[in-house]
Amino acid sequence: MADNSIRERILLAVAAAVRPAAEAFGAGLHRSPAVAISREQCPALVVFPEIDAITERANDRVTRELTVRLVALTRAVPPAVPETAADRLLTAAHAALMTDGTLGGLALGLREVDAEWEIEDADAVAVALPARYRITYRTLANDLSTLG
């Protein structure tokens, strides 16, 4: 059986890095859920891999950039402010993620790309606060499971 790809190991490292921050806020941690997060599952921190792009090829090495989106999802009934809760959760997850920019030696670097605000008004206000991170790493051209 082959080893997991470096990409998969990076995604596992991202989840492991932000898990304590999620737990400190009583939030569940989810990876690429196929269905919407229910009200009962909030607050939640969700990890979505978005794209894995090749940026450079040199001999038998390939440099890649994996874009990962973290989403802090909170719900509240006014006068509670879900935006503030989502911001606190994402701030803690950001600090935890940025503690080790190499994710245990798997990555060459980690940088924040952007953040957005998505507010939805239903019977309670739901806020999704996504932030994107770009993780640069290198593999062998013929083996996605070996660091380059």
Side-chain angles (χ1 to χ4, degrees):
M1 183 168 135
D3 289 333
N4 283 335
S5 68
I6 302 301
R7 172 182 48 240
E8 177 63 17
R9 291 169 25 206
I10 287 172
L11 291 169
L12 292 171
V14 166
V18 300
R19 183 177 309 282
E23 290 173 350
F25 283 88
L29 179 63
H30 308 270
R31 178 169 163 197
S32 304
V35 296
I37 302 293
S38 71
R39 173 174 287 105
E40 293 75 30
Q41 293 174 296
C42 288
L45 186 62
V46 188
V47 178
F48 292 100
E50 288 192 337
I51 190 167
D52 189 28
I54 295 172
T55 60
E56 185 180 344
R57 293 177 201 264
N59 300 323
D60 65 342
R61 306 290 193 256
V62 178
T63 303
R64 303 169 186 274
E65 287 187 342
L66 174 63
T67 302
V68 175
R69 181 170 35 116
L70 293 182
V71 181
L73 180 60
T74 59
R75 298 180 192 267
V77 176
V81 183
E83 295 90 345
T84 301
D87 181 72
R88 282 194 304 265
L89 176 55
L90 192 58
T91 297
H94 173 86
L97 184 60
M98 299 303 279
T99 298
D100 176 7
T102 69
L103 296 167
L106 294 169
L108 300 172
L110 165 67
R111 65 184 185 278
E112 183 180 18
V113 178
D114 62 16
E116 302 173 21
W117 288 262
E118 299 170 9
I119 301 170
E120 191 176 302
D121 205 4
D123 56 347
V125 177
V127 171
L129 181 54
R132 286 180 185 81
Y133 297 85
R134 194 156 294 138
I135 302 163
T136 304
Y137 68 103
R138 191 173 295 131
T139 66
L140 294 180
N142 65 347
D143 186 355
L144 295 175
S145 67
T146 301
L147 288 169

